[in-house]
Amino acid sequence: MAIYFYKVCEPYGCFSNFSPHPIDIQGTYWSTVEHYYQAQKFVGSANEAIIPIIHAAATPEQAAALGRDRTLQVRRDWETVKTQIMHVAVRQKFLTYPDIQSILIATGDELLVENSPTDYYWGCGCDRTGQNYLGKILMSVRQEIRELALVSDQ
Ligand SMILES: Nc1nc(O)c(N)c(N[C@@H]2O[C@H](COP(=O)(O)O)[C@@H](O)[C@H]2O)n1
């Protein structure tokens, strides 16, 4: 049976990028995966000045609103790099927090789906035809962690 997640306050809310799990990426501490992801849109762009503002955003919702500001130009390679950037951040989150790592591993081989009614790239969209890249990343991180556990058992 597939596991659908979306809002932080609902079951499996720890799978949302908005969950309150700060991550350290290359020595910088980000309040949530969402803060990090939204800031990366502007690395090397003319709008790099927004990065510390996103970093300091009080909530992931505010970070997302800043990152989605259509008046700002995102980096040229964003479409090419965004999935890998998200993968790195999600992996770091689940490697950092053993409690949510256990929740992820306990999902076994279930399909994980971000049940976003609006996002057809990271989620499944309102008609469930979306590409679900966040779910795919979570399943990939789940497998990576299982393999790491096998190596450390040897
Ligand atoms: N909680 C929540 N609210 C939304 O409005 C969302 N779109 C999502 N999905 C997450 O949004 C991020 C994608 O943002 P961009 O559209 O690329 O700016 C990504 O973290 C999705 O998982 N979640």
Side-chain angles (χ1 to χ4, degrees):
M1 214 176 63
I3 292 171
Y4 288 85
F5 65 92
Y6 186 50
K7 291 189 184 298
V8 173
C9 60
E10 292 173 355
Y12 296 100
C14 62
F15 294 169
S16 165
N17 292 329
F18 288 49
S19 79
H21 294 95
I23 51 168
D24 180 330
I25 304 274
Q26 293 179 335
T28 300
Y29 199 63
W30 298 87
S31 301
T32 66
V33 167
E34 192 67 15
H35 282 74
Y36 174 73
Y37 166 79
Q38 293 295 342
Q40 296 316 296
K41 290 181 177 177
F42 303 101
V43 171
S45 78
N47 294 115
E48 264 190 330
I50 194 72
I51 293 174
I53 298 171
I54 295 174
H55 183 262
T59 66
E61 288 79 6
Q62 285 175 24
L66 288 162
R68 291 174 187 155
D69 182 341
R70 294 287 161 94
T71 67
L72 301 175
Q73 210 169 20
V74 304
R75 58 198 275 181
R76 283 202 205 143
D77 63 351
W78 181 238
E79 290 306 314
T80 309
V81 300
K82 68 181 183 182
T83 311
Q84 180 58 19
I85 284 172
M86 185 72 93
H87 194 129
V88 167
V90 171
R91 178 170 51 211
Q92 182 66 4
K93 173 175 149 181
F94 284 91
L95 287 176
T96 304
Y97 298 97
D99 56 340
I100 60 170
Q101 187 183 118
S102 299
I103 295 171
L104 180 62
I105 295 301
T107 62
D109 289 325
E110 298 295 352
L111 177 68
L112 305 178
V113 183
E114 190 193 38
N115 197 16
S116 168
T118 53
D119 196 330
Y120 285 78
Y121 185 80
W122 296 112
C124 65
C126 67
D127 60 3
R128 299 196 168 171
T129 63
Q131 297 181 83
N132 186 37
Y133 271 102
L134 180 59
K136 287 175 179 159
I137 286 173
L138 284 160
M139 290 184 279
S140 171
V141 167
R142 182 175 68 189
Q143 182 58 24
E144 287 173 58
I145 291 171
R146 278 185 197 138
E147 285 166 14
L148 281 174
L150 284 178
V151 169
S152 69
D153 281 351
Q154 285 173 0

